[in-house]
Each structure stands twice: as structure tokens, then as C-alpha cells.
Amino acid sequence: MVPNFLISRLTASSFTYSKSTQTQLGSLLQHNAFLCFFNSFTSRTSSDTESDRNHPKGDTFTTCYLINTCGLSPQLAKELSQRVNLKNPDGPNVVLDLLRNYGFSKAQITKLVEKCPLVLVSKAETTLLPKLKFFHSIGVSTREMPKILIGNYHLLASSLKKCLIPRYEIIRSVVRDDREVVRALKNSPLNFTFSDIMNDLIPNIKVLRQCSVPQASISLLIVNFPSAAYAKHSKFVEAVKTVKEIGCNPLQTTFVMAVQVILSMRKATWESRFEVYERWGWNREITLGAFRKFPSFMKCSEETITKKMSFIVKDMVWPSEDIVKYPTVLSYSLEKRIIPRLSVIKILKSKCLVENNLHLGSFMCQTEEKFLKKFVINFQEDVPLLPDVYKGLIDHQNVI
């Protein structure tokens, strides 16, 4: 386990560990994600080795067990029998019972065994159970456990004391509580063992804190956008620099969202988006203004942008300047939200039931329940077929 004095130096109040300590601990954590994978699952005695000579891998029992008990197809079972040798059902049965106790369904057991057949020869009490108990102790439910372990089966083979606990403690030091650790683990289980926490994640968080980014935004990035949080430090620094130059406010969540968008896009793709929006009357500064409000709209593909802008601006004759004020609209589904709602508003405008200067945010950004109540049910007496028209549009029926 990482010594407490190292962990304490990674908390929100201090990131002042030395470079040598950082390198040593980073190397330790990175290597422990890979060490002893086979040894953890297949610790054997000399008698086991002698028995293997008498029961070669790929024997009938192994294949039959994988088919009948684990639910694998005959072909896959035969292939996997070359990687694992089961002598009798006793050990594997204990493993499967343990997995079932921690929420694994039959189908999930099949997936896990397909990915990692060596789990069947692991030691249930000494190898698997302590790790399952650990994850359960930090808040991983039996519903979440299978998804996490199937997403990264190396968690079952990694050392609890040398890898899992130290990494948990470090991640816990940069989020608010165990619930966020679990959410981060669930959203990106591979990062828990394979990312370079000391050389990337910790320095990245330090950069954000130096910019006065609030903890809520930091947690948002780690939990929901782990690929950005664990990005190579040099790239992360460059992205933060770009976002600051654009003028995003570090105190708002849009700052980390903007960092995430910049990291997820190639420079050529980023520049091409300005060209696409220019076709609709937006210069670079207008587009950047929309980006500061809702960074994710820049990730839309050229085809998606063209389809949505064409419908809103050309078909519905809506001013493109209004979209700049509410760029969130471009993230909504064209078929499920944009077309149905704008069509309803067009009908209501044609009957002079709503103001002509209605802005997009007043109806497009509302919840489905509020939109139905305010713009459909509220005008049902004036336009009796309006509910059917709206429902038909959502259901892709050509009703108007």
C-alpha cells in the first residue's frame, strides 16, 4: 500500500511531492497493473504440474464444463480449452458461486469467462473474494460489479495491496467522495489499472486547481470524461491554454467541458467546424462565442450540422443568430426534438396563437413534460389534432 505520507501529499490542499517520488510511485502503480496477472490466477504446486502432464489442456472435461456450466459455444469452448485446464468442477464451481453472490448473471459469467477463462482456476477465497469485498466496501453495488469487472477483468488479477488500494486512495483524493470514485470506475474501468495516474491525472488536476477550477468541475471531468482527465499531461496543458485564450470562465463547468472537447478533436477537424458554421453566417468570433456557452456543439459532424441548420434556418425560416444564443439546440436529436417541436411552433404561429418573436430557448430547451403542457395540451382546444401531429412526428409518421 502507498504510505500515508505520500497519499496525504496528493490531496486537494497540496501537490508538492518531489519529482523523484512521483516517478518512483508512478512506476510502481503502472507496473502493478500488469504484474502477476497469470500468477494471481494460476499459483500452482509441483503436484499440479505433474497432474497437468496427465491431463493435457483442451481435454474433454474442460470443453464440456465451458459449454454446459459457463454457457460458451462449442467452438469457443474448444478454443479456450487451450488456454485453461480444468481438472474437476470443484474449484471452478466455487468461483462461479462467488461471482453469483456478487451479482453476476449467467450471461455475465459467460462474458467474463469468454474474456478471461483463467478466472475459473483462480483461488476464490484468497484471490477473488478480498477484491470483491474491497470494491463492495467502497460502494460498488452487485448490479454494478459485473459491468466493471467485465469491462476490466485485470482488476481481479491485480494486487489488492500494491495496485487497487493505492490507486483507489489517489483517485479518492481528487474527487469528493466514494460515490464519485465508483462512478469513475464504472464509466472507465480500464483507466483504473492502465492509466498513468502519477504522471498524467495528478498533474492535470494540479493545472486545473491552479486555474481556480472548482472541485465540482474537476469531479465532473474525472467521472464523466475520463479520457480527458487521464490525457497525456503535455496535451492537457496545451488544451487548457487554448481554452483560456478562447475566454472560457474557469469558474464555470463549461471550462472543463471545453478542455474535453479540445482534447477529443484533431486540430484540422476543429478548424473545419469554423468553415461549416461560416456557411450559415457565423464568423469565427461568433462561433467561439457559442463555444463558450456550450462547447460540445463543436463536436457535431459536418453532416449533422448541415442537416440541423438546413431544417432550422431554411425549412423553418428561423434566424441563425438565434441559434448562437442557444447552441445547445444543435446537440438535440433532429428527428425526436428539433423537427417535432419547431413544426408545432410553426403551426401555432400560423394561427397567431404564439408570438412571432418567440426565441428558441423558450421551447427547445424545455423538458418534454413542460413542452407538452405549454405548447401542445394548452392549445388542444384551438388545434384539436395538435397532440396527434406532435406524436406522429416523434414516431416518424409523415402527418404534415
Side-chain angles (χ1 to χ4, degrees):
M1 182 183 294
V2 178
N4 289 332
F5 80 92
L6 284 178
I7 298 301
S8 64
R9 296 173 74 176
L10 299 175
T11 58
S13 60
S14 173
F15 282 93
T16 57
Y17 51 86
S18 67
K19 186 174 182 179
S20 61
T21 299
Q22 174 186 0
T23 303
Q24 292 169 6
L25 184 54
S27 298
L28 171 66
L29 293 178
Q30 189 172 20
H31 287 300
N32 278 331
F34 301 93
L35 290 177
C36 304
F37 179 72
F38 290 105
N39 289 337
S40 297
F41 278 151
T42 59
S43 298
R44 297 172 175 231
T45 64
S46 59
S47 60
D48 291 332
T49 306
E50 182 64 29
S51 176
D52 286 348
R53 296 193 185 102
N54 298 325
H55 299 276
K57 290 183 178 180
D59 63 11
T60 304
F61 173 75
T62 299
T63 303
C64 290
Y65 189 89
L66 292 174
I67 295 171
N68 299 327
T69 307
C70 301
L72 274 65
S73 67
Q75 181 179 352
L76 184 57
K78 186 176 181 180
E79 292 175 7
L80 294 182
S81 69
Q82 305 301 314
R83 295 165 53 188
V84 62
N85 182 26
L86 306 180
K87 301 173 183 62
N88 59 67
D90 297 342
N93 284 348
V94 175
V95 169
L96 297 185
D97 286 341
L98 180 60
L99 292 175
R100 293 187 191 101
N101 289 338
Y102 278 86
F104 277 78
S105 66
K106 184 176 180 180
Q108 289 168 334
I109 286 174
T110 300
K111 286 183 180 180
L112 181 63
V113 172
E114 180 179 343
K115 287 189 171 187
C116 182
L118 286 173
V119 71
L120 294 172
V121 294
S122 61
K123 296 184 177 182
E125 292 295 323
T126 58
T127 299
L128 297 183
L129 184 58
K131 294 161 190 173
L132 294 171
K133 283 185 175 180
F134 167 71
F135 287 122
H136 185 68
S137 73
I138 66 172
V140 178
S141 68
T142 53
R143 180 177 56 83
E144 298 164 327
M145 193 83 73
K147 178 183 177 182
I148 291 171
L149 296 179
I150 291 171
N152 183 6
Y153 58 82
H154 294 86
L155 291 166
L156 291 173
S158 299
S159 169
L160 182 60
K161 292 184 178 181
K162 295 181 180 180
C163 178
L164 301 183
I165 292 177
R167 281 178 168 256
Y168 155 74
E169 290 179 338
I170 294 172
I171 295 172
R172 175 64 182 83
S173 72
V174 293
V175 296
R176 290 175 292 192
D177 52 39
D178 277 345
R179 287 179 298 178
E180 291 187 341
V181 176
V182 172
R183 288 172 58 197
L185 179 59
K186 183 170 64 173
N187 290 338
S188 184
L190 287 172
N191 273 317
F192 199 87
T193 54
F194 293 111
S195 61
D196 194 338
I197 290 181
M198 299 307 300
N199 292 318
D200 293 325
L201 177 65
I202 294 301
N204 292 348
I205 301 308
K206 181 179 180 180
V207 168
L208 294 179
R209 287 191 168 133
Q210 289 173 340
C211 295
S212 301
V213 173
Q215 179 60 50
S217 296
I218 291 174
S219 291
L220 174 70
L221 187 71
I222 295 172
V223 171
N224 296 306
F225 304 99
S227 61
Y230 291 95
K232 289 295 181 183
H233 183 57
S234 58
K235 293 183 178 179
F236 192 88
V237 170
E238 188 63 30
V240 170
K241 179 182 177 183
T242 300
V243 169
K244 289 173 70 176
E245 290 173 349
I246 290 172
C248 296
N249 187 349
L251 299 179
Q252 297 177 352
T253 56
T254 49
F255 188 87
V256 294
M257 294 296 297
V259 171
Q260 181 267 328
V261 170
I262 295 295
L263 285 168
S264 69
M265 298 180 70
R266 295 181 178 179
K267 188 173 183 179
T269 304
W270 166 259
E271 291 298 328
S272 72
R273 294 297 177 266
F274 292 99
E275 298 175 5
V276 175
Y277 287 113
E278 189 176 352
R279 299 170 198 162
W280 301 97
W282 298 11
N283 60 30
R284 191 178 187 90
E285 187 51 45
I286 289 175
T287 304
L288 288 176
F291 178 77
R292 286 190 287 270
K293 292 180 180 179
F294 184 69
S296 295
F297 91 100
M298 285 289 276
K299 295 172 69 175
C300 296
S301 68
E302 180 177 346
E303 181 183 6
T304 297
I305 295 169
T306 301
K307 285 182 178 180
K308 292 179 180 180
M309 293 292 275
S310 293
F311 179 78
I312 298 171
V313 179
K314 288 186 176 180
D315 297 347
M316 294 289 106
V317 197
W318 207 279
S320 65
E321 296 80 11
D322 207 17
I323 303 173
V324 176
K325 300 175 185 177
Y326 306 97
T328 312
V329 169
L330 293 174
S331 69
Y332 297 146
S333 167
L334 179 64
E335 293 79 11
K336 295 293 184 180
R337 180 175 290 207
I338 295 176
I339 291 177
R341 292 196 181 188
L342 274 170
S343 298
V344 165
I345 297 301
K346 186 175 183 179
I347 292 171
L348 295 177
K349 278 187 175 184
S350 70
K351 297 182 177 297
C352 300
L353 295 172
V354 295
E355 298 176 0
N356 280 324
N357 61 352
L358 201 66
H359 60 79
L360 276 173
S362 65
F363 61 88
M364 196 64 73
C365 300
Q366 288 188 344
T367 64
E368 182 68 7
E369 182 181 0
K370 288 183 178 179
F371 178 83
L372 276 171
K373 183 177 180 181
K374 186 174 182 179
F375 294 103
V376 179
I377 297 173
N378 191 40
F379 296 103
Q380 191 168 357
E381 291 185 5
D382 301 286
V383 189
L385 292 178
L386 192 59
D388 292 333
V389 169
Y390 181 64
K391 185 178 185 303
L393 285 167
I394 292 179
D395 294 340
H396 304 284
Q397 295 175 18
N398 188 18
V399 295
I400 62 171

